[in-house]
Amino acid sequence: MSVVQFEAVDRIFRSGGAEVGALVGVNLQAERGELVVVMGASGSGKTTLLSIAGGLDRADRGRVTVLGEELGRLSERQLARMRLTAVGFVFQELNLLAELTLEENVALPLEGAGTGRHAARSAARAALARVGLDGMGRRFPDEISGGQQQRVAIARAVVGDRRLVLADEPTGSLDSETGVEIMKLLRTLCDNGATVLLSTHNPANAEFADRVVHLRDGRLERIEERAAPAGREAAR
Ligand SMILES: Nc1ncnc2c1ncn2[C@@H]1O[C@H](COP(=O)(O)OP(=O)(O)OP(=O)(O)O)[C@@H](O)[C@H]1O
Ligand SMILES: [Mg+2]
């Protein structure tokens, strides 16, 4: 079973009299353990694709299946539940709550899904350890670097049992060295069973992908398969 599957997906925006095909006839799939990178110029449909995969927006035509659920059949409430329990988001702009500790930030989706505070905090500490921030849970976002903040956002995206991470230009506001560290971390998470769908303008990030999808004006122009992505763990 694919973790994410798009079949002939269209998303059309209408503004005034004009129609914009943000996605047109898109077919795509991502399997467990895969890092799929979506590239394309500004306005090519990257954010639209990730939003639909995460149930934040809906396709106008075609079928989207995530972890065995056909999203078109789910209610808004069921989609919201899926976002709390199965799918994590990471954005370009750091999106941590400044008044909460790192541990509290990471625990938020679990607490939102009804996990008790103690269990949520303990899962948050485990997720922070997975992203290399063991023991830093008591700090606040403004006490760590931008790259570390992005690690926290990734910890929040994978906390608990979430298996799909949707990352919209997660390295866009980082320097290139820190960006590489973040890509290596995402690669490792995939090598341990997560699935990541990531948009980027930066060709260097595509080196870490199993598959690179090129969008142009909402259409899937080309797919590159990579047998040996950069950063893949040797023991696999
Ligand atoms: N809510 C909306 N209403 C109307 N048009 C929209 C809306 N969201 C996106 N679009 C249009 O859909 C197209 C795809 O937008 P999208 O944001 O997915 O592109 P993108 O590849 O993420 O661009 P960028 O690299 O600038 O982030 C663009 O033409 C955009 O103007
Ligand atoms: Mg975008």
Side-chain angles (χ1 to χ4, degrees):
M1 178 186 81
S2 299
V3 173
V4 179
Q5 186 162 27
F6 278 52
E7 296 166 87
V9 169
D10 289 354
R11 178 66 173 111
I12 312 292
F13 289 108
R14 291 173 184 83
S15 55
E19 287 198 345
V20 176
L23 295 178
V24 183
V26 170
N27 294 297
L28 172 71
Q29 62 194 45
E31 310 294 337
R32 178 178 148 89
E34 282 189 333
L35 198 172
V36 175
V37 162
V38 182
M39 295 196 70
S42 182
S44 60
K46 304 183 296 297
T47 295
T48 303
L49 189 153
L50 295 179
S51 301
I52 289 176
L56 290 170
D57 187 14
R58 288 185 187 267
D60 292 308
R61 273 189 293 275
R63 184 153 61 172
V64 180
T65 312
V66 174
L67 296 160
E69 297 276 9
E70 192 184 329
L71 300 192
R73 295 178 184 272
L74 300 185
S75 65
E76 293 303 319
R77 199 187 162 93
Q78 288 171 315
L79 288 178
R81 177 90 200 159
M82 181 189 85
R83 290 195 299 271
L84 280 174
T85 57
V87 181
F89 290 89
V90 181
F91 302 97
Q92 171 171 1
E93 289 310 322
L94 305 165
N95 34 73
L96 304 176
L97 297 178
E99 65 276 19
L100 298 185
T101 64
L102 306 186
E103 191 177 302
E104 289 165 344
N105 267 284
V106 174
L108 272 183
L110 291 178
E111 290 188 22
T115 305
R117 171 172 288 228
H118 189 75
R121 293 299 169 80
S122 134
R125 284 192 294 276
L128 284 166
R130 283 174 77 188
V131 302
L133 297 177
D134 205 2
M136 289 176 65
R138 295 278 176 94
R139 296 206 200 177
F140 287 89
D142 66 359
E143 296 171 341
I144 60 174
S145 70
Q148 288 172 326
Q149 290 182 30
Q150 201 57 308
R151 286 174 183 269
V152 177
I154 291 168
R156 189 184 50 194
V158 299
V159 71
D161 191 26
R162 270 106 51 84
R163 282 166 290 167
L164 173 62
V165 176
L166 301 169
D168 200 4
E169 306 203 31
T171 66
S173 57
L174 303 174
D175 63 71
S176 59
E177 201 175 319
T178 310
V180 167
E181 291 305 316
I182 292 297
M183 290 306 301
K184 285 184 181 161
L185 169 62
L186 291 170
R187 180 71 255 171
T188 301
L189 292 174
C190 288
D191 292 339
N192 289 311
T195 301
V196 175
L197 201 53
L198 176 147
S199 81
T200 185
H201 282 108
N202 183 353
N205 290 341
E207 300 297 319
F208 294 87
D210 296 284
R211 187 168 321 130
V212 188
V213 170
H214 295 266
L215 282 178
R216 187 188 181 111
D217 297 334
R219 289 171 199 273
L220 214 157
E221 189 179 46
R222 188 159 57 92
I223 299 184
E224 292 170 60
E225 302 281 347
R226 293 266 160 81
R232 171 170 283 167
E233 287 180 350
R236 209 191 167 200

